[in-house]
Short mmCIF file of all heavy atoms in Angstrom, two decimals:
data_model
loop_
_atom_site.label_atom_id
_atom_site.label_comp_id
_atom_site.label_asym_id
_atom_site.label_seq_id
_atom_site.Cartn_x
_atom_site.Cartn_y
_atom_site.Cartn_z
N MET I 1 10.07 -37.11 19.73
CA MET I 1 10.79 -35.86 19.46
C MET I 1 10.35 -35.32 18.11
O MET I 1 10.17 -34.13 17.97
CB MET I 1 12.33 -36.13 19.52
CG MET I 1 13.15 -34.88 19.72
SD MET I 1 12.82 -34.05 21.30
CE MET I 1 13.91 -32.65 21.18
N ALA I 2 10.24 -36.20 17.15
CA ALA I 2 9.86 -35.80 15.80
C ALA I 2 8.40 -35.26 15.85
O ALA I 2 8.11 -34.28 15.13
CB ALA I 2 9.97 -36.98 14.87
N LYS I 3 7.56 -35.90 16.65
CA LYS I 3 6.16 -35.44 16.76
C LYS I 3 6.12 -34.01 17.33
O LYS I 3 5.33 -33.19 16.88
CB LYS I 3 5.37 -36.39 17.68
CG LYS I 3 4.88 -37.64 16.95
CD LYS I 3 4.01 -38.48 17.89
CE LYS I 3 3.56 -39.70 17.14
NZ LYS I 3 2.78 -40.60 18.08
N LEU I 4 6.98 -33.73 18.31
CA LEU I 4 7.04 -32.41 18.94
C LEU I 4 7.47 -31.35 17.87
O LEU I 4 6.86 -30.28 17.80
CB LEU I 4 8.06 -32.40 20.06
CG LEU I 4 8.15 -31.05 20.84
CD1 LEU I 4 6.85 -30.74 21.59
CD2 LEU I 4 9.34 -31.10 21.78
N LEU I 5 8.41 -31.75 17.07
CA LEU I 5 8.91 -30.89 16.02
C LEU I 5 7.79 -30.58 15.04
O LEU I 5 7.55 -29.42 14.65
CB LEU I 5 10.09 -31.53 15.29
CG LEU I 5 10.83 -30.59 14.29
CD1 LEU I 5 11.55 -29.50 15.06
CD2 LEU I 5 11.85 -31.42 13.52
N ILE I 6 7.05 -31.60 14.61
CA ILE I 6 5.94 -31.45 13.66
C ILE I 6 4.87 -30.54 14.30
O ILE I 6 4.34 -29.64 13.67
CB ILE I 6 5.34 -32.81 13.30
CG1 ILE I 6 6.36 -33.54 12.38
CG2 ILE I 6 4.00 -32.65 12.57
CD1 ILE I 6 6.02 -35.02 12.21
N PHE I 7 4.60 -30.80 15.61
CA PHE I 7 3.63 -29.98 16.33
C PHE I 7 3.99 -28.49 16.32
O PHE I 7 3.19 -27.59 16.07
CB PHE I 7 3.48 -30.52 17.77
CG PHE I 7 2.53 -29.69 18.64
CD1 PHE I 7 1.15 -29.82 18.44
CD2 PHE I 7 2.99 -28.79 19.58
CE1 PHE I 7 0.27 -29.10 19.21
CE2 PHE I 7 2.07 -28.06 20.35
CZ PHE I 7 0.76 -28.19 20.14
N VAL I 8 5.29 -28.24 16.59
CA VAL I 8 5.78 -26.82 16.60
C VAL I 8 5.65 -26.21 15.22
O VAL I 8 5.21 -25.08 15.09
CB VAL I 8 7.28 -26.82 17.08
CG1 VAL I 8 7.90 -25.46 16.82
CG2 VAL I 8 7.38 -27.21 18.56
N ILE I 9 5.97 -27.00 14.21
CA ILE I 9 5.87 -26.47 12.82
C ILE I 9 4.42 -26.17 12.47
O ILE I 9 4.12 -25.08 11.90
CB ILE I 9 6.47 -27.48 11.79
CG1 ILE I 9 8.03 -27.50 11.98
CG2 ILE I 9 6.12 -27.07 10.39
CD1 ILE I 9 8.66 -28.69 11.25
N VAL I 10 3.53 -27.05 12.84
CA VAL I 10 2.09 -26.85 12.56
C VAL I 10 1.56 -25.60 13.30
O VAL I 10 0.85 -24.82 12.70
CB VAL I 10 1.27 -28.11 12.98
CG1 VAL I 10 -0.21 -27.79 12.97
CG2 VAL I 10 1.56 -29.25 12.04
N VAL I 11 1.97 -25.42 14.54
CA VAL I 11 1.56 -24.24 15.27
C VAL I 11 2.10 -22.97 14.66
O VAL I 11 1.44 -21.97 14.51
CB VAL I 11 2.00 -24.36 16.79
CG1 VAL I 11 1.83 -23.04 17.52
CG2 VAL I 11 1.20 -25.44 17.50
N ALA I 12 3.39 -23.06 14.22
CA ALA I 12 4.02 -21.89 13.61
C ALA I 12 3.27 -21.51 12.33
O ALA I 12 3.00 -20.34 12.06
CB ALA I 12 5.47 -22.19 13.32
N ILE I 13 2.89 -22.53 11.54
CA ILE I 13 2.18 -22.27 10.30
C ILE I 13 0.77 -21.69 10.57
O ILE I 13 0.34 -20.78 9.91
CB ILE I 13 2.06 -23.54 9.45
CG1 ILE I 13 3.46 -23.95 8.89
CG2 ILE I 13 1.03 -23.39 8.29
CD1 ILE I 13 3.49 -25.32 8.29
N ALA I 14 0.17 -22.27 11.63
CA ALA I 14 -1.20 -21.77 12.04
C ALA I 14 -1.17 -20.30 12.45
O ALA I 14 -1.96 -19.51 12.05
CB ALA I 14 -1.75 -22.62 13.17
N VAL I 15 -0.12 -19.95 13.25
CA VAL I 15 0.07 -18.57 13.69
C VAL I 15 0.35 -17.67 12.52
O VAL I 15 -0.26 -16.59 12.37
CB VAL I 15 1.21 -18.47 14.74
CG1 VAL I 15 1.57 -16.99 14.98
CG2 VAL I 15 0.80 -19.16 16.02
N TRP I 16 1.18 -18.12 11.58
CA TRP I 16 1.54 -17.33 10.41
C TRP I 16 0.30 -17.13 9.53
O TRP I 16 0.04 -16.01 9.07
CB TRP I 16 2.62 -18.12 9.62
CG TRP I 16 2.90 -17.51 8.29
CD1 TRP I 16 3.65 -16.39 7.98
CD2 TRP I 16 2.43 -18.02 6.99
NE1 TRP I 16 3.65 -16.18 6.64
CE2 TRP I 16 2.93 -17.15 6.02
CE3 TRP I 16 1.66 -19.12 6.63
CZ2 TRP I 16 2.68 -17.35 4.66
CZ3 TRP I 16 1.36 -19.30 5.29
CH2 TRP I 16 1.87 -18.45 4.30
N TYR I 17 -0.49 -18.22 9.40
CA TYR I 17 -1.71 -18.13 8.56
C TYR I 17 -2.72 -17.21 9.20
O TYR I 17 -3.35 -16.37 8.53
CB TYR I 17 -2.29 -19.52 8.43
CG TYR I 17 -3.43 -19.60 7.44
CD1 TYR I 17 -3.20 -19.56 6.08
CD2 TYR I 17 -4.76 -19.71 7.91
CE1 TYR I 17 -4.24 -19.60 5.21
CE2 TYR I 17 -5.78 -19.73 7.02
CZ TYR I 17 -5.56 -19.71 5.64
OH TYR I 17 -6.57 -19.76 4.80
N PHE I 18 -2.85 -17.28 10.52
CA PHE I 18 -3.78 -16.47 11.28
C PHE I 18 -3.41 -14.99 11.11
O PHE I 18 -4.24 -14.10 10.89
CB PHE I 18 -3.84 -16.88 12.73
CG PHE I 18 -4.84 -16.13 13.57
CD1 PHE I 18 -6.22 -16.32 13.31
CD2 PHE I 18 -4.44 -15.26 14.55
CE1 PHE I 18 -7.16 -15.65 14.08
CE2 PHE I 18 -5.41 -14.55 15.32
CZ PHE I 18 -6.76 -14.76 15.06
N ARG I 19 -2.12 -14.66 11.27
CA ARG I 19 -1.61 -13.30 11.18
C ARG I 19 -1.90 -12.78 9.73
O ARG I 19 -2.22 -11.63 9.55
CB ARG I 19 -0.13 -13.22 11.48
CG ARG I 19 0.19 -13.27 12.95
CD ARG I 19 1.61 -12.99 13.14
NE ARG I 19 1.93 -12.72 14.56
CZ ARG I 19 3.14 -12.37 14.95
NH1 ARG I 19 4.16 -12.30 14.14
NH2 ARG I 19 3.34 -12.11 16.27
N ARG I 20 -1.69 -13.70 8.76
CA ARG I 20 -1.84 -13.29 7.37
C ARG I 20 -3.31 -12.94 7.08
O ARG I 20 -3.65 -12.05 6.33
CB ARG I 20 -1.41 -14.45 6.44
CG ARG I 20 -0.78 -13.96 5.20
CD ARG I 20 -0.42 -15.16 4.31
NE ARG I 20 -0.45 -14.77 2.91
CZ ARG I 20 -0.46 -15.61 1.92
NH1 ARG I 20 -0.39 -16.90 2.14
NH2 ARG I 20 -0.45 -15.19 0.69
N GLN I 21 -4.25 -13.71 7.76
CA GLN I 21 -5.64 -13.45 7.61
C GLN I 21 -6.01 -12.11 8.19
O GLN I 21 -6.90 -11.41 7.69
CB GLN I 21 -6.47 -14.52 8.29
CG GLN I 21 -6.38 -15.91 7.63
CD GLN I 21 -7.27 -16.01 6.40
OE1 GLN I 21 -8.03 -15.11 6.12
NE2 GLN I 21 -7.16 -17.10 5.69
N LEU I 22 -5.30 -11.71 9.23
CA LEU I 22 -5.63 -10.45 9.92
C LEU I 22 -5.07 -9.25 9.16
O LEU I 22 -5.57 -8.14 9.28
CB LEU I 22 -5.10 -10.45 11.33
CG LEU I 22 -5.84 -11.33 12.36
CD1 LEU I 22 -5.12 -11.30 13.73
CD2 LEU I 22 -7.28 -10.91 12.50
N GLN I 23 -3.98 -9.43 8.45
CA GLN I 23 -3.29 -8.33 7.84
C GLN I 23 -4.07 -7.58 6.73
O GLN I 23 -4.08 -6.36 6.73
CB GLN I 23 -1.94 -8.77 7.31
CG GLN I 23 -0.83 -8.60 8.30
CD GLN I 23 0.52 -9.02 7.76
OE1 GLN I 23 0.63 -9.54 6.63
NE2 GLN I 23 1.54 -8.84 8.57
N PRO I 24 -4.70 -8.27 5.77
CA PRO I 24 -5.27 -7.52 4.61
C PRO I 24 -6.13 -6.31 4.97
O PRO I 24 -5.95 -5.29 4.37
CB PRO I 24 -6.04 -8.62 3.91
CG PRO I 24 -5.28 -9.86 4.18
CD PRO I 24 -4.78 -9.69 5.60
N PRO I 25 -7.11 -6.44 5.93
CA PRO I 25 -7.91 -5.27 6.17
C PRO I 25 -7.11 -4.03 6.61
O PRO I 25 -7.32 -2.96 6.07
CB PRO I 25 -8.83 -5.71 7.38
CG PRO I 25 -8.83 -7.21 7.25
CD PRO I 25 -7.48 -7.55 6.74
N SER I 26 -6.16 -4.20 7.55
CA SER I 26 -5.37 -3.07 8.01
C SER I 26 -4.47 -2.58 6.87
O SER I 26 -4.29 -1.38 6.71
CB SER I 26 -4.55 -3.48 9.22
OG SER I 26 -3.62 -4.48 8.88
N ARG I 27 -3.94 -3.52 6.08
CA ARG I 27 -3.07 -3.10 4.98
C ARG I 27 -3.89 -2.34 3.92
O ARG I 27 -3.42 -1.37 3.40
CB ARG I 27 -2.46 -4.38 4.38
CG ARG I 27 -1.31 -4.04 3.44
CD ARG I 27 -0.75 -5.30 2.80
NE ARG I 27 0.31 -5.90 3.58
CZ ARG I 27 0.98 -7.00 3.19
NH1 ARG I 27 0.60 -7.64 2.15
NH2 ARG I 27 1.99 -7.47 3.91
N HIS I 28 -5.16 -2.80 3.69
CA HIS I 28 -5.99 -2.14 2.77
C HIS I 28 -6.30 -0.75 3.22
O HIS I 28 -6.22 0.24 2.43
CB HIS I 28 -7.28 -2.94 2.61
CG HIS I 28 -8.18 -2.40 1.56
ND1 HIS I 28 -7.88 -2.42 0.24
CD2 HIS I 28 -9.41 -1.79 1.65
CE1 HIS I 28 -8.87 -1.89 -0.47
NE2 HIS I 28 -9.82 -1.47 0.35
N ARG I 29 -6.58 -0.60 4.54
CA ARG I 29 -6.87 0.71 5.11
C ARG I 29 -5.70 1.67 4.95
O ARG I 29 -5.83 2.77 4.53
CB ARG I 29 -7.23 0.54 6.56
CG ARG I 29 -8.59 1.11 6.93
CD ARG I 29 -8.93 0.85 8.38
NE ARG I 29 -9.85 -0.25 8.50
CZ ARG I 29 -10.03 -1.00 9.61
NH1 ARG I 29 -9.25 -0.71 10.66
NH2 ARG I 29 -10.89 -1.98 9.67
N SER I 30 -4.46 1.13 5.24
CA SER I 30 -3.29 2.00 5.22
C SER I 30 -2.98 2.36 3.74
O SER I 30 -2.53 3.47 3.46
CB SER I 30 -2.10 1.28 5.84
OG SER I 30 -1.77 0.15 5.11
N SER I 31 -3.27 1.44 2.80
CA SER I 31 -2.98 1.72 1.41
C SER I 31 -3.96 2.78 0.90
O SER I 31 -3.60 3.66 0.11
CB SER I 31 -3.03 0.47 0.54
OG SER I 31 -4.35 0.04 0.38
N ASP I 32 -5.20 2.76 1.34
CA ASP I 32 -6.16 3.75 0.97
C ASP I 32 -5.73 5.13 1.46
O ASP I 32 -5.78 6.07 0.74
CB ASP I 32 -7.56 3.43 1.52
CG ASP I 32 -8.27 2.36 0.66
OD1 ASP I 32 -7.78 2.04 -0.42
OD2 ASP I 32 -9.32 1.90 1.11
N HIS I 33 -5.28 5.11 2.72
CA HIS I 33 -4.84 6.34 3.32
C HIS I 33 -3.60 6.88 2.55
O HIS I 33 -3.44 8.06 2.30
CB HIS I 33 -4.49 6.18 4.79
CG HIS I 33 -4.22 7.40 5.50
ND1 HIS I 33 -5.11 8.37 5.75
CD2 HIS I 33 -3.00 7.91 6.02
CE1 HIS I 33 -4.54 9.42 6.39
NE2 HIS I 33 -3.24 9.14 6.56
N GLY I 34 -2.70 5.91 2.21
CA GLY I 34 -1.50 6.26 1.44
C GLY I 34 -1.82 6.87 0.12
O GLY I 34 -1.19 7.82 -0.31
N ASN I 35 -2.85 6.34 -0.57
CA ASN I 35 -3.21 6.88 -1.85
C ASN I 35 -3.66 8.37 -1.72
O ASN I 35 -3.36 9.19 -2.54
CB ASN I 35 -4.40 6.07 -2.48
CG ASN I 35 -3.89 4.80 -3.06
OD1 ASN I 35 -2.67 4.64 -3.27
ND2 ASN I 35 -4.76 3.86 -3.36
N GLU I 36 -4.40 8.63 -0.65
CA GLU I 36 -4.84 9.99 -0.47
C GLU I 36 -3.68 10.94 -0.24
O GLU I 36 -3.66 12.06 -0.81
CB GLU I 36 -5.76 10.10 0.79
CG GLU I 36 -7.17 9.57 0.54
CD GLU I 36 -7.97 9.49 1.80
OE1 GLU I 36 -7.65 10.20 2.76
OE2 GLU I 36 -8.90 8.69 1.84
N THR I 37 -2.68 10.46 0.53
CA THR I 37 -1.58 11.34 0.84
C THR I 37 -0.59 11.49 -0.33
O THR I 37 0.07 12.49 -0.47
CB THR I 37 -0.84 10.90 2.10
OG1 THR I 37 -0.49 9.49 1.94
CG2 THR I 37 -1.66 11.01 3.32
N THR I 38 -0.52 10.41 -1.21
CA THR I 38 0.48 10.46 -2.24
C THR I 38 -0.08 11.13 -3.53
O THR I 38 0.66 11.38 -4.42
CB THR I 38 0.96 9.05 -2.61
OG1 THR I 38 -0.19 8.23 -2.86
CG2 THR I 38 1.76 8.43 -1.49
N MET I 39 -1.37 11.43 -3.54
CA MET I 39 -1.92 12.14 -4.72
C MET I 39 -1.31 13.54 -4.73
O MET I 39 -1.23 14.25 -3.76
CB MET I 39 -3.47 12.22 -4.60
CG MET I 39 -4.15 10.90 -4.77
SD MET I 39 -4.04 10.27 -6.43
CE MET I 39 -5.56 10.99 -7.15
N VAL I 40 -0.92 13.98 -5.94
CA VAL I 40 -0.33 15.29 -6.08
C VAL I 40 -1.28 16.15 -6.95
O VAL I 40 -2.14 15.67 -7.65
CB VAL I 40 1.05 15.22 -6.75
CG1 VAL I 40 2.02 14.47 -5.83
CG2 VAL I 40 1.01 14.56 -8.10
N ARG I 41 -1.09 17.46 -6.82
CA ARG I 41 -2.02 18.39 -7.47
C ARG I 41 -1.27 19.16 -8.56
O ARG I 41 -0.15 19.65 -8.34
CB ARG I 41 -2.53 19.34 -6.43
CG ARG I 41 -3.70 20.19 -6.90
CD ARG I 41 -4.38 20.83 -5.69
NE ARG I 41 -5.44 21.71 -6.15
CZ ARG I 41 -5.47 23.01 -5.89
NH1 ARG I 41 -4.52 23.56 -5.18
NH2 ARG I 41 -6.46 23.75 -6.34
N CYS I 42 -1.89 19.22 -9.72
CA CYS I 42 -1.26 20.04 -10.80
C CYS I 42 -1.26 21.49 -10.40
O CYS I 42 -2.33 22.03 -10.02
CB CYS I 42 -2.04 19.78 -12.09
SG CYS I 42 -1.48 20.86 -13.44
N ALA I 43 -0.14 22.16 -10.50
CA ALA I 43 -0.03 23.53 -10.09
C ALA I 43 -0.75 24.43 -11.11
O ALA I 43 -1.07 25.63 -10.84
CB ALA I 43 1.45 23.98 -10.03
N GLU I 44 -1.05 23.93 -12.27
CA GLU I 44 -1.67 24.74 -13.32
C GLU I 44 -3.18 24.65 -13.25
O GLU I 44 -3.86 25.68 -13.27
CB GLU I 44 -1.15 24.16 -14.66
CG GLU I 44 -1.14 25.12 -15.83
CD GLU I 44 -0.39 26.45 -15.58
OE1 GLU I 44 0.76 26.40 -15.07
OE2 GLU I 44 -0.97 27.47 -15.89
N CYS I 45 -3.77 23.44 -13.23
CA CYS I 45 -5.23 23.29 -13.30
C CYS I 45 -5.80 22.71 -12.04
O CYS I 45 -7.03 22.63 -11.91
CB CYS I 45 -5.60 22.40 -14.47
SG CYS I 45 -5.00 20.71 -14.37
N GLY I 46 -4.98 22.33 -11.04
CA GLY I 46 -5.53 21.89 -9.74
C GLY I 46 -6.01 20.43 -9.81
O GLY I 46 -6.64 19.98 -8.89
N LEU I 47 -5.69 19.71 -10.87
CA LEU I 47 -6.12 18.34 -11.01
C LEU I 47 -5.31 17.44 -10.09
O LEU I 47 -4.10 17.59 -10.02
CB LEU I 47 -5.95 17.85 -12.47
CG LEU I 47 -6.38 16.46 -12.78
CD1 LEU I 47 -7.89 16.37 -12.90
CD2 LEU I 47 -5.74 16.00 -14.10
N TYR I 48 -6.01 16.57 -9.35
CA TYR I 48 -5.28 15.61 -8.53
C TYR I 48 -4.98 14.32 -9.30
O TYR I 48 -5.85 13.81 -9.98
CB TYR I 48 -6.17 15.22 -7.29
CG TYR I 48 -6.20 16.28 -6.23
CD1 TYR I 48 -7.17 17.29 -6.21
CD2 TYR I 48 -5.16 16.38 -5.29
CE1 TYR I 48 -7.16 18.26 -5.25
CE2 TYR I 48 -5.16 17.31 -4.31
CZ TYR I 48 -6.16 18.28 -4.28
OH TYR I 48 -6.15 19.26 -3.35
N LEU I 49 -3.78 13.89 -9.21
CA LEU I 49 -3.33 12.70 -9.92
C LEU I 49 -2.20 12.06 -9.21
O LEU I 49 -1.49 12.67 -8.42
CB LEU I 49 -2.96 13.05 -11.35
CG LEU I 49 -1.75 13.91 -11.64
CD1 LEU I 49 -1.36 13.78 -13.10
CD2 LEU I 49 -2.03 15.35 -11.31
N PRO I 50 -1.99 10.73 -9.47
CA PRO I 50 -0.89 10.03 -8.80
C PRO I 50 0.44 10.57 -9.34
O PRO I 50 0.54 10.90 -10.53
CB PRO I 50 -1.12 8.57 -9.13
CG PRO I 50 -2.04 8.57 -10.32
CD PRO I 50 -2.83 9.83 -10.21
N PRO I 51 1.50 10.54 -8.52
CA PRO I 51 2.80 11.05 -8.94
C PRO I 51 3.34 10.32 -10.19
O PRO I 51 4.07 10.94 -10.94
CB PRO I 51 3.69 10.73 -7.72
CG PRO I 51 2.78 10.68 -6.59
CD PRO I 51 1.48 10.15 -7.11
N ALA I 52 2.91 9.06 -10.42
CA ALA I 52 3.38 8.33 -11.60
C ALA I 52 2.94 9.01 -12.86
O ALA I 52 3.58 8.92 -13.86
CB ALA I 52 2.87 6.88 -11.52
N ASN I 53 1.80 9.71 -12.82
CA ASN I 53 1.26 10.34 -14.00
C ASN I 53 1.54 11.87 -14.02
O ASN I 53 1.18 12.54 -14.95
CB ASN I 53 -0.24 10.16 -14.09
CG ASN I 53 -0.66 8.70 -14.21
OD1 ASN I 53 0.16 7.88 -14.63
ND2 ASN I 53 -1.86 8.38 -13.86
N ALA I 54 2.23 12.32 -12.99
CA ALA I 54 2.51 13.74 -12.91
C ALA I 54 3.99 14.00 -13.17
O ALA I 54 4.83 13.10 -13.11
CB ALA I 54 2.16 14.23 -11.54
N THR I 55 4.33 15.22 -13.54
CA THR I 55 5.69 15.63 -13.80
C THR I 55 6.10 16.65 -12.84
O THR I 55 5.51 17.71 -12.72
CB THR I 55 5.83 16.19 -15.25
OG1 THR I 55 5.29 15.24 -16.15
CG2 THR I 55 7.26 16.46 -15.58
N PRO I 56 7.16 16.37 -12.04
CA PRO I 56 7.61 17.42 -11.08
C PRO I 56 8.50 18.47 -11.75
O PRO I 56 9.33 18.14 -12.63
CB PRO I 56 8.50 16.58 -10.10
CG PRO I 56 8.94 15.40 -10.85
CD PRO I 56 7.89 15.13 -11.92
N ARG I 57 8.24 19.72 -11.51
CA ARG I 57 9.04 20.77 -12.10
C ARG I 57 9.09 21.95 -11.13
O ARG I 57 8.02 22.42 -10.76
CB ARG I 57 8.42 21.17 -13.46
CG ARG I 57 9.24 22.26 -14.18
CD ARG I 57 9.01 22.22 -15.71
NE ARG I 57 7.66 21.95 -16.13
CZ ARG I 57 6.74 22.87 -16.37
NH1 ARG I 57 7.02 24.14 -16.20
NH2 ARG I 57 5.53 22.56 -16.73
N GLY I 58 10.24 22.39 -10.79
CA GLY I 58 10.38 23.52 -9.88
C GLY I 58 9.73 23.35 -8.54
O GLY I 58 9.15 24.26 -7.96
N GLY I 59 9.73 22.09 -8.03
CA GLY I 59 9.14 21.83 -6.74
C GLY I 59 7.63 21.69 -6.78
O GLY I 59 6.98 21.59 -5.76
N ARG I 60 7.03 21.77 -7.99
CA ARG I 60 5.60 21.62 -8.13
C ARG I 60 5.31 20.49 -9.08
O ARG I 60 6.19 20.02 -9.79
CB ARG I 60 4.99 22.92 -8.73
CG ARG I 60 5.01 24.05 -7.73
CD ARG I 60 4.37 25.26 -8.32
NE ARG I 60 4.14 26.27 -7.29
CZ ARG I 60 3.28 27.28 -7.44
NH1 ARG I 60 2.64 27.42 -8.60
NH2 ARG I 60 3.13 28.17 -6.49
N TRP I 61 4.06 20.01 -9.07
CA TRP I 61 3.66 18.90 -9.93
C TRP I 61 2.74 19.43 -11.03
O TRP I 61 1.98 20.37 -10.86
CB TRP I 61 2.90 17.88 -9.11
CG TRP I 61 3.75 17.12 -8.13
CD1 TRP I 61 3.96 17.46 -6.84
CD2 TRP I 61 4.51 15.95 -8.37
NE1 TRP I 61 4.84 16.55 -6.24
CE2 TRP I 61 5.16 15.62 -7.15
CE3 TRP I 61 4.71 15.13 -9.50
CZ2 TRP I 61 6.00 14.53 -7.05
CZ3 TRP I 61 5.56 14.01 -9.39
CH2 TRP I 61 6.21 13.73 -8.17
N TYR I 62 2.89 18.80 -12.21
CA TYR I 62 2.07 19.16 -13.32
C TYR I 62 1.47 17.95 -13.99
O TYR I 62 2.14 16.91 -14.06
CB TYR I 62 2.95 19.97 -14.39
CG TYR I 62 3.41 21.26 -13.88
CD1 TYR I 62 4.60 21.37 -13.17
CD2 TYR I 62 2.66 22.44 -14.05
CE1 TYR I 62 5.06 22.59 -12.66
CE2 TYR I 62 3.05 23.66 -13.57
CZ TYR I 62 4.28 23.75 -12.88
OH TYR I 62 4.70 24.93 -12.40
N CYS I 63 0.26 18.04 -14.44
CA CYS I 63 -0.41 16.96 -15.12
C CYS I 63 0.14 16.84 -16.56
O CYS I 63 0.99 17.60 -16.99
CB CYS I 63 -1.91 17.17 -15.15
SG CYS I 63 -2.46 18.51 -16.26
N GLU I 64 -0.37 15.85 -17.26
CA GLU I 64 0.19 15.60 -18.59
C GLU I 64 -0.04 16.72 -19.56
O GLU I 64 0.73 16.97 -20.47
CB GLU I 64 -0.42 14.26 -19.15
CG GLU I 64 0.06 13.09 -18.39
CD GLU I 64 -0.29 11.76 -19.12
OE1 GLU I 64 -0.70 11.84 -20.28
OE2 GLU I 64 -0.16 10.73 -18.49
N LYS I 65 -1.12 17.48 -19.34
CA LYS I 65 -1.44 18.61 -20.26
C LYS I 65 -0.49 19.77 -20.04
O LYS I 65 -0.19 20.53 -20.93
CB LYS I 65 -2.87 19.08 -20.05
CG LYS I 65 -3.93 18.16 -20.65
CD LYS I 65 -5.31 18.74 -20.40
CE LYS I 65 -6.36 17.77 -20.87
NZ LYS I 65 -7.71 18.26 -20.47
N HIS I 66 -0.08 19.98 -18.77
CA HIS I 66 0.66 21.21 -18.43
C HIS I 66 2.15 21.00 -18.20
O HIS I 66 2.77 21.91 -17.71
CB HIS I 66 0.01 21.87 -17.22
CG HIS I 66 -1.41 22.23 -17.43
ND1 HIS I 66 -2.48 21.61 -16.83
CD2 HIS I 66 -1.95 23.16 -18.29
CE1 HIS I 66 -3.58 22.13 -17.28
NE2 HIS I 66 -3.31 23.07 -18.17
N ARG I 67 2.65 19.81 -18.48
CA ARG I 67 4.06 19.65 -18.19
C ARG I 67 4.93 20.28 -19.29
O ARG I 67 4.47 20.54 -20.38
CB ARG I 67 4.38 18.17 -18.01
CG ARG I 67 4.27 17.30 -19.26
CD ARG I 67 4.54 15.86 -18.90
NE ARG I 67 4.13 14.94 -19.94
CZ ARG I 67 4.01 13.63 -19.73
NH1 ARG I 67 4.31 13.12 -18.55
NH2 ARG I 67 3.61 12.86 -20.70
ZN1 ZN M 101 -2.84 20.56 -15.27
#
């Protein structure tokens, strides 16, 4: 009975490990796509930058120079 339990655990770990191996490429692809969609454009100079570096004002985004 204990051997069966160990076998089940080993299989579960193997499946988990296999799924983890498969995930990075698709996750990388989706994150790349996410970066494209999350980039915002400065309403003043048209510069594309991530929202973390941009300042929202009046429903528009502005870069560090134009905020
Ligand atoms: Zn700007």
